[in-house]
Amino acid sequence: MRTVYVIGIGSGDPDHLTLQAVAALKRVDVVFVIDKGEVKEDLTALRTGILDRHLEPGSYRVVEAADPERDRRAGAGEAGRSASYTAAVVDWQDRRGSLYASMIEELADGEIGAFLVWGDPSLYDGTLRLLEGVEGIEVISYPGISSVQALAAAHRLILNRVGRPVLVTTGRRIAAGLPADVDDIVVMLDGGTALAQLPDAEVADVEVYWGAYVGSPDELLVSGPVLDVRDEIVRIRAEARERKGWIMDTYLLRRHPGDR
């Protein structure tokens, strides 16, 4: 039996690793790395820094593979979860699952391998789901600090209000409109800046708490009434993406600011 750890490493701060995650890392024989290209070299550097900080040189080996290409045009501009978007994601996940299986073949019996997952393995990450299809392994998940937790801490927020639900969703989903029955909405994966496209009347009483690269030295934060700050967010986001070549951002939309 081979063992595979899925370890949450936080959203950008090396100190986001829990003591449990550090202890797990020290038991690892192989670290599996998905190469996402030169555009995200700083993420690679951060991951390497985490390994150098917690593991002795020569105590582990790295198995690396290039991330399969994904058709990001599918469903572009469409509200909701379009059939073409879903098909593109499923195809990409199938190919990534096959890649994971081939990488894990590098593990000898009794060895422990690890995938280091940004944020937390339970939130908008497919590693655990893809490993379900790999035979002959035991999977153990170690939680990490998610970008949602880091965002709340950076803005000194409590995500839930008394007796009220919190929805975690995507930019693609809110593009069709904000849900009427939830006042606190955490938005992730908003590649198209859906926030800026919502009608003024729909966000007239909504505040936004936005953050990009949260927890890293490049952290950017903006907050305030949506109608007052959304143009600023769009501008800062575009400048950051142009400068770094990628962006990871998250935000909370909150109706009727203050306790209810």
Side-chain angles (χ1 to χ4, degrees), residues 89-128:
V89 171
V90 169
D91 172 70
W92 171 71
Q93 289 180 337
D94 286 346
R95 287 183 286 119
R96 220 190 206 199
S98 297
L99 180 64
Y100 284 2
S102 65
M103 295 172 76
I104 291 170
E105 288 297 321
E106 298 289 333
L107 275 183
D109 287 344
E111 283 193 323
I112 297 174
F115 288 93
L116 307 186
V117 170
W118 294 108
D120 181 81
S122 71
L123 189 61
Y124 285 102
D125 182 84
T127 304
L128 288 171

Side-chain angles (χ1 to χ4, degrees), residues 14-58:
D15 288 337
H16 281 174
L17 265 74
T18 65
L19 294 177
Q20 184 187 46
V22 171
L25 268 180
K26 292 182 182 297
R27 298 191 293 271
V28 166
D29 301 294
V30 178
V31 176
F32 301 113
V33 174
I34 300 297
D35 181 6
K36 297 188 177 183
E38 294 182 1
V39 72
K40 294 186 178 179
E41 284 184 346
D42 41 359
L43 288 179
T44 301
L46 177 59
R47 182 182 57 225
T48 301
I50 288 172
L51 294 174
D52 290 345
R53 178 172 175 176
H54 296 295
L55 300 181
E56 293 294 327

